[in-house]
């Protein structure tokens, strides 16, 4: 991947952000993957996990190879016909790990694009003539890749746009643990996460003692046992304030 002209734009940008970079052999040729450190994992107290997102940078010729292989697969009623093509290792990777989210970045593509009602970017008529396919055929391939293989497709104009895309994905992945934590975290004043369906207070006052107990538990280092003892001795806040 780094042997391609323009890849230095990506490397220089990543170095500017001081992000850690590892150059190593990948299961998928010309792919970019992400790993996340996991503290307190492994013998040395640290470990890492590979993110499910993978980006493949393809030239126009590779993309045409993928489209033709997928079209043959669809015409053969689902029998994979990508053996020996660029699509073959990609399908093997997805068969091993179905959770992978793959994005194909097509560079050196035709300068003219059009966008249909679904927002799918399609190459112009020149590419269609090279493939020997109609609009409907290409759209069928794109839909198959997206829905059946979880592979999205983005047409980019050169390595600067590839770099922008990689940086955007990196920033999004770096924020995901915090986002998941905030989505799962219960609010500190919701005891056991049950505030929304909390104690019902009737008109006769029944339920007030339970509400009073939960309010005490909101204080720092007050356990349910301590709260139960306090509410037994002082059934209301007013009685506690009179002490």
């Amino acid at each position: 991947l780094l042997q391609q002209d323009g890849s230095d734009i990506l490397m220089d940008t990543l170095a500017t952000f001081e992000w850690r970079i590892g150059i190593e052999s990948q299961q998928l040729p010309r792919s970019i993957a992400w790993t996340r450190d996991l503290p307190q994992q492994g013998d040395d107290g640290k470990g890492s996990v590979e993110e499910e997102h993978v980006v493949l940078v393809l030239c126009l010729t590779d993309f045409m190879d993928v489209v033709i292989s997928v079209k043959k697969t669809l015409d053969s009623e689902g029998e994979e016909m990508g053996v020996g093509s660029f699509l073959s290792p990609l399908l093997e990777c997805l068969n091993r790990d179905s959770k992978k989210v793959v994005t194909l970045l097509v560079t050196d593509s035709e300068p003219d694009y059009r966008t249909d009602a679904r927002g799918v970017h399609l190459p112009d008529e020149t590419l269609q003539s090279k493939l020997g396919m109609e609009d409907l055929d290409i759209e069928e391939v794109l839909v198959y890749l997206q829905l059946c293989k979880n592979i999205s497709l983005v047409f980019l104009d050169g390595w600067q746009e590839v770099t922008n895309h990689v940086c955007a994905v990196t920033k999004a992945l770096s924020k995901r643990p915090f986002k998941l934590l905030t989505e799962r975290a219960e609010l500190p004043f919701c005891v056991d996460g049950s505030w929304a369906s909390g104690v019902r207070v009737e008109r006769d006052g029944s339920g007030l003692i339970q509400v009073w107990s939960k309010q005490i538990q909101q204080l720092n280092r007050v356990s349910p046992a301590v709260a139960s003892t306090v509410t037994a001795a002082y059934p209301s806040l007013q009685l506690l304030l009179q002490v």
Side-chain angles (χ1 to χ4, degrees):
L1 179 63
L2 298 181
Q3 294 177 352
Q4 297 185 17
D5 294 337
S7 60
D8 56 316
I9 298 176
L10 173 62
M11 299 302 295
D12 292 343
T13 302
L14 297 179
T16 301
F17 284 116
E18 298 183 349
W19 289 338
R20 190 176 61 192
I21 308 170
I23 302 175
E24 56 189 38
S25 142
Q26 299 288 338
Q27 296 178 351
L28 295 174
R30 283 167 283 180
S31 65
I32 300 173
W34 288 262
T35 58
R36 182 189 308 281
D37 287 339
L38 294 177
Q40 300 179 352
Q41 297 286 332
D43 298 335
D44 57 353
K46 290 186 178 180
S48 62
V49 61
E50 184 173 331
E51 298 284 359
E52 66 271 19
H53 287 74
V54 178
V55 165
L56 275 74
V57 182
L58 308 182
C59 65
L60 187 60
T61 302
D62 294 328
F63 168 68
M64 293 170 60
D65 179 63
V66 170
V67 172
I68 294 173
S69 299
V70 172
K71 181 57 179 174
K72 290 180 179 178
T73 298
L74 295 175
D75 292 341
S76 62
E77 298 182 354
E79 181 181 355
E80 293 183 357
M81 303 294 291
V83 178
S85 70
F86 188 88
L87 184 63
S88 180
L90 178 56
L91 295 179
E92 291 177 1
C93 177
L94 293 175
N95 289 335
R96 287 192 299 267
D97 187 357
S98 60
K99 294 183 180 180
K100 287 292 185 183
V101 179
V102 179
T103 301
L104 304 182
L105 305 182
V106 182
T107 62
D108 301 326
S109 51
E110 304 292 339
D112 185 24
Y113 303 98
R114 67 177 180 82
T115 304
D116 66 5
R118 299 187 304 278
V120 177
H121 294 275
L122 297 177
D124 67 358
E125 294 180 358
T126 303
L127 179 56
Q128 296 172 16
S129 62
K130 290 180 180 179
L131 291 170
M133 296 182 184
E134 301 293 336
D135 288 352
L136 187 60
D137 293 329
I138 298 179
E139 292 178 4
E140 182 184 15
V141 169
L142 299 182
V143 171
Y144 171 82
L145 290 174
Q146 180 70 60
L147 299 183
C148 299
K149 299 299 181 180
N150 201 22
I151 299 175
S152 56
L153 188 68
V154 180
F155 290 94
L156 299 176
D157 185 17
W159 271 92
Q160 184 58 60
E161 292 190 5
V162 171
T163 299
N164 295 340
H165 183 92
V166 171
C167 290
V169 173
T170 303
K171 292 177 181 179
L173 291 176
S174 66
K175 296 177 181 179
R176 187 168 62 172
F178 175 76
K179 184 177 180 181
L180 293 175
L181 182 62
T182 54
E183 290 176 350
R184 296 175 182 175
E186 298 173 352
L187 297 176
F189 54 83
C190 295
V191 181
D192 295 332
S194 58
W195 182 265
S197 59
V199 179
R200 180 182 179 86
V201 179
E202 304 294 344
R203 292 186 177 183
D204 60 0
S206 59
L208 284 174
I209 189 69
Q210 288 84 358
V211 173
W212 171 225
S213 177
K214 288 181 178 294
Q215 290 175 336
I216 294 177
Q217 292 179 50
Q218 296 169 21
L219 301 176
N220 188 29
R221 297 184 179 179
V222 175
S223 65
V226 173
S228 178
T229 302
V230 172
T231 55
Y234 307 100
S236 69
L237 175 61
Q238 183 177 7
L239 293 177
L240 179 60
L241 293 175
Q242 292 176 357
V243 178

